[in-house]
């Protein structure tokens, strides 16, 4: 949890600083925006932190003195932009306003915190990413497990679940990685699992008793107006119940009370989805590019052709939690297929959806009291489109299409109310007035008439006084301090009537008031003040009217989001030549068959003209492991990733980049890809690799899909080969059997697995050699690669010629077991090898009599005690001796 407690107590003895410190003491974990005139000021540690994040000047109060206080400030009118930066950086902000008029205050102006903004509870449009959710998580660690609650304050989503047993911490981290909460509540003093601390967002510690289950039960029953929680699912008990109560309490603290738009909590069902852990989400670049962490370059970015923000967020949800049940998947695919064929209807639906605003978040802003006049107009305009969208969706025949159509409620009465109440182009805030139409409220119309007439009275009075006094420079003005006044330049002040009362002297003019002007001022100002106050009252009535329709509005918003997502997926399939995948339910063979599959991201990244499609067949039986060899840059990683992405897309309900796909559903996709360290956690590159591999071996099932892009490369060659071999055997023969695995490796020794283990097939990525040049064909074909091409790839990458030449010399020495006079490999000295003049005679005899040595090795070997790996190594050594003998 980020703390901003003030350590510097110097220069804090003034009344204003005492007031600041008292208010700061009530919000020690927040940066305090302290209103002083037209600025928000920050002091002490808050100023140091804020200045660094906001890139503004850090100065001091009482500069030059020993007790100088660090301070910085931002303009009041520009606060929103600075607030956004602080919240996005993970800071909590308390906004302290002047709650009385400085002109009327006796002594120090009274100030109070009127608003608290935290990363996980914001609902304001300017503080949110429109296309991404903004979850608040509450984690309740207990003996043997965790309770979890997730609340999306900007949409009203509320979810709970619990994790128990040995894999509880891992499953918690996976769920947090999927939903990416911006803020995580934890009990004070409670330690979290290492994976949680690195998967979660901003951590906020709250009192442990906030997770009390009895208090939580009463809070939830009161919030949702129910007598029992049994209808909310079996997971809303125990630690999950405590987490839900803590989340509701925190929202109430921030917003004054738990927002009324929260939906009843639903249970997160991980047994009904394809589970994607944090490694898989990152390695496959599902949500963001691994290069720069941005959305561009991710699978989501390529697939997102939605036209509404609520649709974009729903598509993200579908991608991180693909379905597992074939019936549910086919429902989605039926609707996509229907929309692919209905080109004109699809276009009309998308055109109407473009006119719809983000209803989910507008409803949330009204519920939390932060909505403005323009939110109301946006909602009104969106409601006008609902009947039209519903009418178009009524033409769909698929079951899911009919369900989406039923979800949309036109809400004609609310639509008519908003249309009749609001002007079409209102101001941004209520303080300016002018929000409601003429005729909406009789009293408001009368007050407007009075202010309009008052302006006319002022204009008439100015003209009359000019004529009466013959002062050509006379004009009537207004300021907040003196109110209305008559202003006369110094050149004509001798012409001012004696009855006028001097109010203010300027450099070039004098200002006066009269009894008539004072009376007119009182009438006009009271009308303006009452008009603004009345508009606030009317807007509050409007907010309550919208609140009565919160449920139907949220359901309609979900229906619109679904309509957007499925028309988007149909548009994607049509524009990208995607095919509908065919799912094999209860397939005992666990088959995945892909014909001419393509990588969805790479083919959109400018390589579509050269992208080579590839086929794949894998199952849970005789084809359950593909050992893939070939040089770097040939396309091994691309091929494996595209297989995983096609499976994920298909189970999310999308058409896929292939000519044909048959697939038995996958329950989990695991990936072990690349080399990276996690030094902050004390993990080296190799340790990270082993931790990720262990996660796969301990959690993969017979229905899982495993992608291994190199195992054992972070240690010595012999250790690496041994680990890779053992991992492959475990995936082949461990419990349960049948895990489908794509294993890319540079250890050619692993291709021997196909000779000794059932279920292994060797594949390679084809290349062609032209002299010393390599041509990558990017075609995956059956059979093991005949050799490694690492040095050739290094040459392509720009290694100096001397390095390439020397590398080939060393490789030749290694492959021929070249030895020096001392019997050591010639890798450094540059001496000639065993066939040179300086070779050791004893070693020459060893290699020249290869047959004798082979016989000696056979005689020494205990055939009955040899393991398969030892036997293969023995065979390889004998083969090398035979080759040397023949060459010699």
């Amino acid at each position: 949890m980020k703390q901003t407690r003030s350590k510097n107590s110097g220069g804090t003895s003034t009344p204003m600083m005492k007031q600041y410190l008292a208010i700061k003491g009530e919000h020690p974990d927040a940066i305090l925006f302290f209103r002083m005139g037209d600025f928000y000021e920050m002091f002490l540690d808050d100023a140091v932190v804020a200045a660094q994040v906001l890139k503004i000047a850090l100065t001091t109060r009482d500069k030059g003195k020993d007790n100088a206080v660090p301070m910085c400030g931002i303009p009041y009118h520009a606060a929103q932009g600075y607030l956004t930066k602080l919240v996005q950086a993970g800071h909590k902000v308390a906004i302290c306003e002047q709650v009385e008029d400085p002109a009327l205050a006796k002594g120090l102006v009274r100030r109070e915190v009127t608003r608290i903004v935290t990363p996980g509870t914001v609902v304001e449009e300017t503080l949110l990413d429109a296309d991404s959710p903004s979850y608040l998580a509450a984690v309740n660690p207990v003996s043997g497990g965790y309770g979890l609650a997730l609340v999306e304050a900007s949409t009203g989503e509320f979810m709970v679940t619990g994790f128990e047993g040995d894999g509880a911490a891992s499953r918690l981290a996976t769920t947090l990685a999927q939903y990416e909460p911006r803020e995580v509540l934890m009990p004070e003093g409670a330690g979290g699992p290492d994976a949680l601390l690195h998967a979660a967002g901003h951590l906020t510690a709250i009192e442990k008793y906030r997770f009390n289950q009895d208090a939580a039960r009463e809070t939830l029953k009161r919030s949702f107006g129910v007598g029992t929680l049994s209808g909310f699912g079996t997971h809303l008990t125990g630690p999950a119940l405590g987490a839900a109560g803590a989340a509701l309490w925190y929202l109430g603290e921030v917003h004054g009370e738990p927002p009324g738009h929260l939906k009843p909590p639903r249970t997160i069902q991980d047994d009904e989805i394809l589970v994607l852990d944090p490694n898989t989400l990152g390695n496959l670049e599902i949500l963001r590019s691994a290069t720069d962490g941005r959305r561009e370059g991710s699978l989501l970015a390529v697939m997102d052709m939605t036209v509404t923000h609520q649709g974009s967020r729903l598509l993200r949800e579908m991608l991180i939690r693909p379905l597992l049940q074939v019936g549910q998947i086919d429902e989605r695919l039926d609707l996509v297929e229907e929309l692919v064929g209905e080109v004109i209807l699809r276009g009309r639906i998308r055109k109407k959806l473009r006119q719809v605003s983000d209803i989910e978040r507008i409803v949330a802003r009204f519920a939390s009291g932060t909505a403005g006049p323009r939110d109301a107009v946006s909602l009104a305009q969106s409601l006008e489109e609902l009947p039209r969208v519903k009418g178009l969706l009524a033409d769909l025949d698929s079951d899911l299409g009919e369900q989406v159509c039923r979800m949309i409620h036109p809400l004609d009465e609310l639509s008519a109310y908003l249309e009749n109440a609001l002007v079409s182009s209102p101001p941004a805030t209520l303080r300016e007035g002018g929000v409601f139409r003429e005729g909406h409220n009789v009293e408001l119309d009368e007050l407007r008439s009075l202010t309009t007439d008052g302006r006319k009275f002022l204009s008439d009075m100015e003209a009359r006084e000019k004529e009466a006094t013959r002062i050509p420079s006379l004009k009537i003005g207004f300021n907040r301090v003196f109110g209305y006044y008559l202003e006369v330049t110094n050149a004509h002040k001798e012409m001012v009537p004696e009855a006028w009362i001097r109010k203010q002297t300027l450099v070039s003019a004098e200002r006066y008031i009269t009894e008539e002007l004072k009376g007119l001022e009182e009438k006009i100002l009271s009308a303006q003040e009452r008009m603004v106050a009345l508009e606030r009252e009317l807007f509050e009535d409007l907010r309550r009217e919208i609140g009565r329709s919160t449920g139907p509005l949220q359901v309609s918003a979900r229906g619109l989001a679904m309509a957007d997502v499925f028309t988007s997926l149909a548009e994607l399939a049509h524009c990208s030549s995607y095919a509908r995948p065919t799912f094999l339910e209860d397939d005992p063979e666990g088959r995945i068959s892909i014909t001419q599959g393509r990588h969805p991201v790479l083919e959109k990244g400018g390589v579509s003209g050269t992208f080579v499609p590839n086929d794949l067949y894998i199952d849970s039986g005789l084809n359950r492991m593909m050992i893939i060899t070939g040089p770097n840059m040939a396309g091994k990683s691309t091929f494996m990733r595209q297989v995983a992405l096609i499976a994920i897309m298909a189970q999310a309900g999308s058409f896929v980049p292939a000519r044909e796909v048959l697939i038995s559903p996958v329950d989990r996709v695991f990936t072990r890809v690349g080399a990276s360290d996690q030094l902050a956690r004390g993990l080296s590159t190799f340790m990270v690799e082993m931790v990720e591999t262990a996660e796969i071996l301990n959690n993969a099932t017979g229905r899982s899909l495993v992608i291994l892009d190199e195992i054992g490369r972070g240690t010595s060659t012999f250790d690496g080969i041994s680990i890779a071999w053992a991992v492959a055997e475990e995936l082949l023969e461990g419990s349960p059997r049948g895990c489908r695995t794509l294993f890319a490796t540079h250890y050619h020794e692993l291709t021997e697995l196909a000779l000794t283990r059932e279920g292994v097939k060797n594949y390679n990525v084809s290349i062609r050699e032209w002299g010393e040049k390599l041509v990558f064909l990017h075609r995956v074909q059956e059979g093991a690669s005949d050799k490694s091409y690492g040095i050739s790839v290094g040459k392509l990458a720009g290694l100096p010629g001397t390095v390439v030449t020397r590398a080939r010399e060393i490789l030749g020495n290694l492959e021929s077991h070249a030895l020096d006079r001392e019997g050591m490999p010639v890798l450094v000295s540059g001496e000639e090898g065993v066939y040179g003049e300086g070779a050791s005679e004893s070693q020459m005899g060893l290699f020249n009599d290869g047959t004798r040595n082979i016989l000696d090795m056979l005689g020494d070997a205990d055939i009955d005690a040899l393991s398969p790996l030892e036997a293969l190594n023995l065979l390889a050594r004998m083969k090398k001796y035979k080759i040397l003998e023949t060459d010699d």
Side-chain angles (χ1 to χ4, degrees):
M1 177 179 177
K2 294 184 179 178
Q3 297 285 344
T4 55
R5 297 179 185 274
S6 299
K7 299 175 184 177
N8 185 340
S9 59
T12 58
S13 59
T14 65
M16 188 277 295
M17 284 303 298
K18 288 180 179 178
Q19 183 188 52
Y20 169 85
L21 290 174
I23 297 172
K24 174 66 181 176
E26 297 172 0
H27 304 277
D29 59 340
I31 291 177
L32 186 64
F33 274 20
F34 192 73
R35 181 72 179 274
M36 295 180 68
D38 290 333
F39 286 83
Y40 285 121
E41 302 288 358
M42 288 151 277
F43 300 97
L44 302 169
D45 290 353
D46 282 5
V48 175
V49 172
Q52 183 177 8
V53 174
L54 301 177
K55 309 299 182 188
I56 58 177
L58 178 67
T59 182
T60 58
R61 185 180 178 89
D62 298 326
K63 188 173 183 179
K65 297 182 180 180
D66 293 338
N67 61 351
V69 174
M71 66 177 291
C72 65
I74 58 173
Y76 163 76
H77 63 83
Q80 198 70 16
Y82 293 106
L83 180 61
T84 300
K85 289 182 180 179
L86 286 170
V87 172
Q88 289 178 345
H91 293 281
K92 182 177 181 180
V93 180
I95 300 176
C96 180
E97 298 285 5
Q98 297 173 169
V99 294
E100 65 177 333
D101 189 341
L104 302 177
K106 295 180 179 179
L108 195 63
V109 177
R110 189 160 56 90
R111 294 177 173 88
E112 293 178 1
V113 171
T114 59
R115 180 181 166 207
I116 299 174
V117 182
T118 80
T121 62
V122 294
V123 296
E124 293 89 339
E125 184 176 15
T126 55
L127 301 178
L128 293 166
D129 178 349
D131 293 327
S132 299
S134 178
Y135 282 102
L136 168 72
V139 177
N140 186 16
V142 295
S143 177
Y146 301 89
L148 173 66
L150 288 161
V151 182
E152 223 286 24
S154 72
T155 64
E157 286 295 319
F158 191 1
M159 296 173 286
V160 295
T161 191
F163 306 98
E164 299 177 353
D166 294 338
S170 175
R171 286 182 288 139
L172 171 64
T174 292
T175 303
L176 291 173
Q178 291 170 349
Y179 289 100
E180 297 184 321
R182 296 182 66 188
E183 186 174 7
V184 180
L185 306 178
M186 293 278 289
E188 283 183 340
D194 191 53
L196 164 64
L197 298 178
H198 290 271
H202 174 70
L203 294 177
T204 298
I206 61 175
E207 297 91 341
K208 189 174 182 178
Y209 69 85
R210 302 294 180 187
F211 292 83
N212 178 271
Q213 295 176 29
D214 292 334
R217 186 177 294 105
E218 295 306 313
T219 299
L220 266 76
K221 289 195 297 187
R222 184 170 60 253
S223 296
F224 294 102
V226 296
T228 176
L229 302 182
S230 58
F232 292 152
T234 57
H235 275 93
L236 194 54
T237 56
L241 174 60
L248 277 181
W249 168 83
Y250 191 70
L251 284 171
E253 281 292 291
V254 172
H255 293 285
E257 59 182 13
H261 69 294
L262 290 185
K263 303 171 187 176
R266 60 183 175 90
T267 302
I268 300 174
Q269 298 284 7
D270 280 345
D271 56 348
E272 297 179 358
I273 66 163
L274 189 172
V275 177
L276 303 173
D277 62 25
N279 290 331
T280 300
L281 288 169
N283 290 334
L284 296 181
E285 301 177 293
I286 303 294
L287 300 178
R288 55 186 56 84
S289 167
T291 304
D292 55 14
R294 299 177 62 190
R295 195 172 188 264
E296 290 75 16
S298 69
L299 177 65
L300 175 59
V302 166
M303 292 185 64
D304 192 355
M305 298 184 72
T306 58
V307 295
T308 71
H309 296 307
Q310 50 212 353
S312 183
R313 295 194 299 271
L314 177 58
L315 176 62
R316 180 191 184 280
E317 180 183 330
M318 290 167 60
L319 273 183
I320 62 171
R321 297 177 66 81
L323 299 175
L324 193 56
Q325 303 301 319
V326 170
Q328 296 175 346
I329 298 170
D330 279 336
E331 273 192 349
R332 290 183 177 180
L333 292 173
D334 287 343
L335 178 52
V336 175
E337 184 173 32
E338 182 178 11
L339 288 165
V340 168
E342 294 285 354
V343 179
I344 296 176
L345 176 61
R346 183 176 77 239
R348 288 176 176 171
I349 294 172
R350 286 168 64 81
K351 183 178 179 180
K352 291 301 178 186
L353 288 172
R354 286 188 177 91
Q355 309 303 315
V356 175
S357 298
D358 196 341
I359 293 177
E360 276 188 324
R361 286 186 165 171
I362 290 175
V363 169
R365 290 196 288 274
F366 273 105
S368 62
T370 60
R374 291 177 182 172
D375 286 319
V377 171
S378 293
L379 180 59
Q381 293 169 346
S382 298
L383 291 178
E384 288 183 22
E385 301 297 332
L386 294 191
R388 299 162 189 165
V389 175
K390 186 178 182 70
L392 292 170
L393 294 174
D395 292 335
L396 296 173
D397 295 325
S398 61
D399 291 342
L400 187 55
E402 292 178 358
Q403 178 185 330
V404 172
C405 182
R406 290 194 297 271
M407 292 175 70
I408 297 176
H409 304 278
L411 298 171
D412 294 333
E413 290 186 8
L414 178 60
S415 178
Y417 170 76
L418 295 176
E419 175 65 24
N420 293 330
L422 300 165
V423 299
S424 57
S425 298
T429 64
L430 286 170
R431 75 171 69 94
E432 303 170 42
V435 174
F436 293 92
R437 290 182 183 275
E438 186 177 345
H440 175 66
N441 181 272
V442 174
E443 183 182 357
L444 181 61
D445 290 345
E446 292 175 351
L447 291 170
R448 281 179 178 164
S449 176
L450 182 58
T451 57
T452 301
D453 290 344
R455 293 190 186 97
K456 186 177 183 304
F457 293 154
L458 289 170
S459 178
D460 290 345
M461 181 180 179
E462 181 180 299
R464 191 172 63 252
E465 291 294 347
K466 274 186 178 181
E467 183 178 354
T469 62
R470 299 188 180 280
I471 300 175
S473 63
L474 185 148
K475 63 180 181 180
I476 294 179
F478 175 82
N479 67 33
R480 294 189 177 185
V481 177
F482 298 112
Y484 287 102
Y485 54 80
L486 294 156
E487 184 174 297
V488 178
T489 62
N490 288 339
H492 301 102
K493 66 180 180 180
E494 300 300 330
M495 301 170 65
V496 171
E498 292 183 3
W500 290 13
I501 304 168
R502 183 185 292 122
K503 193 69 177 177
Q504 186 182 16
T505 299
L506 305 178
V507 174
S508 59
E510 299 277 356
R511 290 176 176 175
Y512 304 87
I513 60 171
T514 66
E515 292 297 327
E516 180 184 7
L517 185 58
K518 285 179 62 178
L520 189 57
E521 174 187 77
E522 184 178 343
K523 190 178 293 185
I524 293 172
L525 292 183
S526 62
Q528 288 178 331
E529 290 173 3
R530 174 57 188 148
M531 185 171 65
V532 172
L534 180 57
E535 288 217 8
R536 291 183 182 276
E537 294 172 14
L538 294 174
F539 196 78
E540 185 62 24
D541 292 341
L542 183 145
R543 187 179 76 85
R544 284 192 288 268
E545 189 67 30
I546 292 172
R548 282 191 280 270
S549 299
T550 293
L553 282 169
Q554 289 178 324
V555 174
S556 294
R558 186 71 171 185
L560 292 168
M562 291 177 69
D564 189 14
V565 166
F566 288 108
T567 54
S568 167
L569 291 176
E571 190 78 8
L572 175 69
H574 175 78
C575 296
S576 306
S577 299
Y578 286 2
R580 174 173 179 161
T582 300
F583 278 88
L584 306 171
E585 191 168 14
D586 301 324
D587 177 25
E589 298 179 46
R591 290 169 290 171
I592 300 177
S593 174
I594 299 173
T595 303
Q596 294 191 14
R598 313 183 310 269
H599 193 294
V601 179
L602 292 186
E603 76 166 354
K604 295 288 186 182
V607 296
S608 57
T610 58
F611 193 90
V612 178
N614 272 294
D615 300 343
L616 167 129
Y617 180 83
I618 195 168
D619 58 34
S620 300
L622 297 178
N623 301 275
R624 62 183 180 272
M625 179 175 286
M626 293 177 64
I627 301 290
I628 308 170
T629 52
N632 288 318
M633 295 176 58
K636 301 190 302 295
S637 297
T638 297
F639 172 72
M640 294 193 302
R641 283 174 167 87
Q642 78 186 32
V643 171
L645 291 176
I646 286 173
I648 291 167
M649 291 173 66
Q651 290 185 222
S654 171
F655 281 28
V656 294
R659 191 175 74 184
E660 183 179 18
V661 172
L662 301 175
I663 181 170
S664 176
V666 174
D667 66 349
R668 295 194 66 161
V669 173
F670 292 97
T671 59
R672 156 87 279 282
V673 174
S676 63
D677 57 42
Q678 296 180 14
L679 298 181
R681 297 170 60 188
L683 301 181
S684 66
T685 299
F686 182 64
M687 180 59 78
V688 169
E689 180 180 329
M690 291 298 96
V691 168
E692 292 178 0
T693 304
E695 175 79 8
I696 295 171
L697 296 178
N698 291 327
N699 292 285
T701 75
R703 300 178 68 188
S704 299
L705 176 63
V706 175
I707 305 297
L708 299 177
D709 194 354
E710 302 296 348
I711 291 289
R713 296 295 298 278
T715 184
S716 71
T717 301
F718 289 159
D719 278 358
I721 293 174
S722 302
I723 291 171
W725 189 291
V727 167
E729 285 185 336
E730 179 68 17
L731 288 169
L732 282 166
E733 300 178 352
S735 178
R737 293 169 59 91
C739 177
R740 294 160 288 187
T741 305
L742 279 65
F743 195 156
T745 182
H746 284 89
Y747 294 138
H748 286 227
E749 293 83 354
L750 292 186
T751 61
E752 303 296 332
L753 274 167
L755 301 177
T756 62
R757 292 291 185 273
E758 184 181 84
V760 182
K761 292 289 188 296
N762 286 323
Y763 287 82
N764 71 89
V765 185
S766 60
I767 64 169
R768 290 291 181 268
E769 294 182 82
W770 296 90
E772 294 186 354
K773 293 184 178 180
L774 296 181
V775 178
F776 298 103
L777 302 181
H778 304 292
R779 175 73 65 187
V780 178
Q781 58 190 13
E782 194 162 0
S785 179
D786 56 353
K787 63 178 180 178
S788 178
Y789 297 88
I791 296 175
S792 297
V793 173
K795 182 179 180 181
L796 285 175
L799 286 180
T802 54
V803 173
V804 172
T805 300
R806 181 60 176 144
R808 283 182 174 144
E809 179 185 342
I810 293 172
L811 177 63
N813 289 334
L814 284 170
E815 291 180 338
S816 64
H817 282 228
L819 304 172
D820 64 14
R821 293 184 179 87
E822 306 300 324
M824 300 300 292
V826 182
L827 300 178
V828 180
S829 66
E831 297 185 46
E832 295 184 14
V834 294
Y835 304 109
E837 296 178 356
S840 167
E841 292 183 3
S842 63
Q843 295 298 331
M844 284 289 290
L846 175 66
F847 282 98
N848 282 335
D849 193 3
T851 302
R852 180 170 58 79
N853 282 281
I854 291 172
L855 291 174
D856 287 345
M857 283 187 282
L858 284 173
D860 293 340
D862 184 352
I863 302 299
D864 294 330
L866 284 179
S867 71
L869 179 58
E870 291 169 337
L872 284 170
N873 289 335
L874 177 62
L875 180 61
R877 289 199 300 274
M878 290 190 293
K879 185 176 179 182
K880 288 178 180 178
Y881 283 131
K882 185 61 179 174
I883 291 171
L884 289 171
E885 177 190 23
T886 302
D887 290 345
D888 184 59

